[in-house]
Amino acid sequence: MSGVMDDERAELQRLLDEELLKPVFQPILDFRVRAVLGYEALIRGPEGSSLARPDQLFAAAARHGLSRSLEHACREASLRAFACQRLAGKLFLNVTPDCLLDVRLLNGHTRELLIELGIAPNRVVLELTENQQITDMPGILDALLHYRGRGFQIAIDDLGEGFANLRLWSDLRPEFVKIDKHFVHGIADDRIKFHFVRAMQDLAEIGNASLVAEGIEREEDFVCIRDMGIACGQGYFIAHPESSPIRQLSRRTLSALDQQSLALSPMTGGPGRLPTARSLLKAIVPVPMHASNAEVIERFEADPSLDVLPVVQGNQAVGMINRHSMIDRFARPFRRELFGRKSCELFMDQAPLIVDQHATIQELAMMLSLAPRHYLLDGFIVTGDGEYLGVGSSHDLMGMITEMQISAARYANPLTQLPGNVPINEHVDRMLAAGSPFVAVYVDIDNFKPFNDTYGYRRGDDVIQTLARLLCEQVDERLDFVGHIGGDDFFVVFRSADWEIRCWEIISRFAEAIANLLGIDERLRGGYMAENRRGELSFQASPTLSLGAVRVAAGECESHREVAAAASAAKKQAKKRARMTDAEPSGGSLFIERRRLGEPMAVGLPRPLIN
């Protein structure tokens, strides 16, 4: 046994001494901008070695007390390979809690290596793994804060696998949090996993962290993660780890991304059109990476309107040069003589904000809000299929967002701030144009006018606002749309599969809310005594809801007018049913139109007015 252990130790020492570790890199996709955010560095032993597999390699290092030496060698090999290949974006480096306290990391060796390789610290993400028990939590937190102060970013790995990373998330507020692959695999078919990840997403939004979904292997999980609004993804569906990784997304990944989900927020630009990064694009001629600093200075001096110059390698954007930073550097004595002939790569930002032309304005704004402040001055590079197209400015982005907010406010209902008729119509038209099936639900409050007349408009406004809040709570904000037609009329566009259950829940909760607005006697009687229109004291039933639902399949309607007419007709049937049965036991009525649109209604029932 001792001989086997001695051989294992000797083999491990050989790999370390002869620098035979083989780094591989797995791309991390940023869903928001349809581009590679960066790469996670992973380590393999040489082929043919008994320690070729990473699990064997790290287990052997733990047995022989060489874990810190192995991690140090992995870190250096990964950084050198990353720099040698000139990979764009961020580098995610795995570190264990014990490694963070290694003197070789604390004494500035990594910082010196980064300077030697020309890698800015803000491009390096220290990814803390939880494969060791953390015994010195205060020490780990102090170490991570030390590295963040030096410009590094922090990621927590495998969220959901253990408890220590939840405490780290709370105390450290990392820039990235990786969701354990257990919760990602099969999420498209598992509602429990879906809601677990949704809870993680809510925490991430509060803590200004970007979530990375690990272990994406199936297209349906990929699309589900994207549609949930998770920031980033990683896994075999996107790309396998390779020593020479992909720099542009594969056709398979791009095809899955092109299955565009419909935006729920009304935008400027006309029905069905959402402003994207391409709307802000300015076609600035870039400089090649081999261009000299003197050539860059000449470009800036020749064109005073140029604030930035993008740098490309072939057709791929690799950097950005800020005018003021560049000129300030060369204003110092002897700078032109010392650096004028050297490559512009020396002074460029190696990690510019690069976005795909299809990134929406909201996605861009979110990226800038989470990015370092200098991006607000530099703006962003716009690409198409990974190739350079132009540059966009933060100033133009802010102007467009302001325009969108003014437009949204113009068409919002003043009482509830929900989208009004114009954005409702635009959203329905977008759904129809995309051929996406949905359910249109017209929501109306029964017996509202007597309540409003009896208790006053202030209490009436409370009822309307209560309904607006309930509707927003009961829909899936990622899939469904809520609009306020006016008065006590609302319109909901459902894409949730369980829309019918949600409708009954709305009816039930509204009945509870109304009961809380009435006194005990009125609640027991189901109404109150008030004057009717003839001035006679009579019993008035409590407000209830009537919901008329219409299923709209692909190709059944041409415009929002047809959908509105059919939903209005369904709502009338719901109100008729409520009057005939004195409302359902749950306190409201739901009528679901079972026919396909365009078919005649049953004898004795009015035909919907379809234009």
Side-chain angles (χ1 to χ4, degrees):
M1 184 68 178
S2 61
V4 174
M5 292 290 287
D6 289 343
D7 290 345
E8 183 181 72
R9 182 184 179 89
E11 174 65 5
L12 178 60
Q13 196 64 56
R14 182 180 76 88
L15 300 185
L16 296 175
D17 294 342
E18 299 180 17
E19 299 180 353
L20 297 178
L21 298 175
K22 177 184 175 184
V24 293
F25 301 93
Q26 186 171 35
I28 297 173
L29 165 67
D30 192 324
F31 285 107
R32 299 164 295 187
V33 295
R34 296 165 52 98
V36 174
L37 169 77
Y39 301 85
E40 179 181 356
L42 304 166
I43 288 293
R44 306 287 186 265
E47 293 183 10
S49 169
S50 60
L51 301 179
R53 285 171 31 195
D55 56 341
Q56 297 170 327
L57 184 65
F58 285 93
R63 282 192 290 269
H64 298 289
L66 293 173
S67 293
R68 286 192 175 186
S69 296
L70 176 60
E71 284 203 48
H72 175 75
C74 292
R75 185 168 62 251
E76 183 162 336
S78 299
L79 285 167
R80 292 191 181 280
F82 184 78
C84 180
Q85 295 190 57
R86 296 184 181 277
L87 293 175
K90 298 184 181 295
L91 173 63
F92 286 68
L93 287 176
N94 288 294
V95 294
T96 60
D98 183 62
C99 176
L100 280 174
L101 305 177
D102 188 350
V103 293
R104 284 169 290 190
L105 194 59
L106 290 168
N107 66 9
H109 177 273
T110 300
R111 184 174 56 189
E112 293 172 2
L113 181 60
L114 291 177
I115 294 172
E116 174 193 336
L117 298 175
I119 300 175
N122 65 1
R123 297 182 63 196
V124 177
V125 182
L126 299 178
E127 184 174 326
L128 187 65
T129 61
E130 200 183 350
N131 54 10
Q132 291 180 353
Q133 184 178 0
I134 298 178
T135 56
D136 182 10
M137 182 67 78
I140 295 300
L141 288 172
D142 288 344
L144 288 171
L145 291 173
H146 166 81
Y147 297 125
R148 175 177 281 160
R150 298 294 185 272
F152 296 93
Q153 293 186 313
I154 309 298
I156 295 176
D157 193 21
D158 296 334
L159 179 69
E161 189 179 56
F163 295 101
N165 49 20
L166 286 174
R167 178 180 171 185
L168 277 172
W169 190 357
S170 172
D171 294 342
L172 186 64
R173 308 295 169 87
E175 286 77 14
F176 298 93
V177 176
K178 288 195 164 185
I179 305 171
D180 184 69
K181 61 184 179 182
H182 168 79
F183 295 97
V184 174
H185 185 71
I187 189 173
D189 310 314
D190 191 324
R191 290 185 58 82
I192 297 298
K193 289 182 178 180
F194 178 91
H195 286 291
F196 265 114
V197 173
R198 175 60 58 78
M200 297 176 193
Q201 188 177 15
D202 291 340
L203 290 173
E205 290 177 359
I206 295 171
N208 288 327
S210 294
L211 287 184
V212 182
E214 290 190 294
I216 302 177
E217 298 181 358
R218 308 188 310 158
E219 181 174 357
E220 48 267 53
D221 293 335
F222 177 91
V223 173
C224 179
I225 288 290
R226 182 208 63 181
D227 287 349
M228 288 181 69
I230 303 299
C232 305
Q234 179 180 358
Y236 291 166
F237 180 80
I238 299 167
H240 286 254
E242 302 284 353
S243 55
S244 297
I246 63 168
R247 297 170 187 263
Q248 298 181 10
L249 300 177
S250 66
R251 289 187 178 275
R252 180 177 73 162
T253 304
L254 288 171
S255 176
L257 285 171
D258 285 338
Q259 299 176 25
Q260 289 293 324
S261 62
L262 288 162
L264 298 184
S265 301
M267 297 292 179
T268 57
R273 294 167 51 199
L274 304 180
T276 62
R278 190 173 183 87
S279 310
L280 302 170
L281 183 147
K282 293 181 179 177
I284 296 176
V285 178
V287 295
M289 195 161 65
H290 58 73
S292 67
N293 288 312
E295 291 175 283
V296 173
I297 290 291
E298 288 177 9
R299 283 283 304 275
F300 281 130
E301 290 177 342
D303 187 353
S305 67
L306 275 181
D307 292 320
V308 293
L309 270 176
V311 182
V312 297
Q313 186 175 27
N315 293 325
Q316 187 178 15
V318 294
M320 185 89 90
I321 301 175
N322 179 280
R323 174 192 190 90
H324 302 291
S325 176
M326 188 75 170
I327 292 178
D328 180 64
R329 283 191 173 103
F330 274 75
R332 301 171 190 175
F334 309 113
R335 285 300 179 100
R336 284 181 182 266
E337 292 78 7
L338 290 172
F339 301 110
R341 295 183 179 181
K342 292 188 176 181
S343 167
C344 65
E345 180 185 8
L346 184 66
F347 295 129
M348 75 178 187
D349 179 2
Q350 298 180 347
L353 181 57
I354 301 176
V355 304
D356 184 84
Q357 61 179 329
H358 299 299
T360 66
I361 295 303
Q362 299 104 310
E363 291 167 339
L364 270 175
M366 181 61 69
M367 290 288 290
L368 280 169
S369 69
L370 298 176
R373 292 183 180 180
H374 72 271
Y375 286 147
L376 291 173
L377 298 175
D378 292 352
F380 47 90
I381 294 173
V382 182
T383 62
D385 294 331
E387 296 187 355
Y388 171 79
L389 294 180
V391 172
S393 77
S394 302
H395 181 271
D396 292 343
L397 173 62
M398 294 303 108
M400 182 168 285
I401 290 174
T402 302
E403 180 184 342
M404 290 161 52
Q405 289 175 334
I406 292 173
S407 177
R410 181 182 300 126
Y411 295 119
N413 185 280
L415 179 60
T416 62
Q417 296 302 305
L418 289 174
N421 288 331
V422 171
I424 291 172
N425 296 340
E426 289 182 355
H427 181 69
V428 172
D429 282 337
R430 283 200 301 273
M431 299 286 291
L432 296 175
S436 178
F438 61 93
V439 177
V441 178
Y442 196 124
V443 182
D444 184 30
I445 302 177
D446 298 323
N447 311 315
F448 176 72
K449 190 177 186 308
F451 182 92
N452 194 61
D453 291 343
T454 302
Y455 292 100
Y457 73 90
R458 180 61 263 175
R459 294 283 295 277
D461 286 351
D462 289 342
V463 171
I464 292 174
Q465 290 175 323
T466 296
L467 176 56
R469 175 178 54 81
L470 290 175
L471 291 173
C472 292
E473 289 175 351
Q474 293 304 312
V475 301
D476 185 335
E477 70 275 10
R478 304 286 178 184
L479 298 173
D480 308 325
F481 178 95
V482 179
H484 188 174
I485 298 171
D488 59 331
D489 293 354
F490 292 79
F491 200 85
V492 183
V493 178
F494 279 110
R495 281 193 291 161
S496 297
D498 58 345
W499 63 270
E500 189 171 348
I501 295 174
R502 293 175 186 267
C503 285
W504 282 115
E505 189 69 18
I506 290 166
I507 290 172
S508 174
R509 296 206 174 190
F510 181 77
E512 293 175 5
I514 290 297
N516 291 332
L517 292 176
L518 299 174
I520 296 176
D521 292 340
E522 289 87 354
R523 198 181 308 171
L524 293 173
R525 292 198 303 265
Y528 52 93
M529 299 300 294
E531 289 185 357
N532 58 24
R533 293 181 180 180
R534 295 187 297 273
E536 301 168 345
L537 194 64
S538 63
F539 178 79
Q540 302 291 338
S542 301
T544 56
L545 291 184
S546 286
L547 277 63
V550 177
R551 296 185 181 92
V552 182
E556 279 191 342
C557 296
E558 294 183 358
S559 79
H560 63 269
R561 294 180 180 84
E562 298 176 39
V563 176
S568 179
K571 182 260 297 184
K572 292 177 181 177
Q573 294 302 316
K575 293 179 80 71
K576 180 181 292 186
R577 173 180 293 177
R579 288 194 299 269
M580 293 171 58
T581 62
D582 196 20
E584 301 288 343
S586 58
S589 173
L590 171 63
F591 176 83
I592 302 172
E593 180 55 78
R594 305 290 181 183
R595 303 168 303 109
R596 292 177 61 87
L597 294 186
E599 293 180 1
M601 296 190 73
V603 176
L605 295 178
R607 181 170 179 166
L609 301 175
I610 299 179
N611 297 329

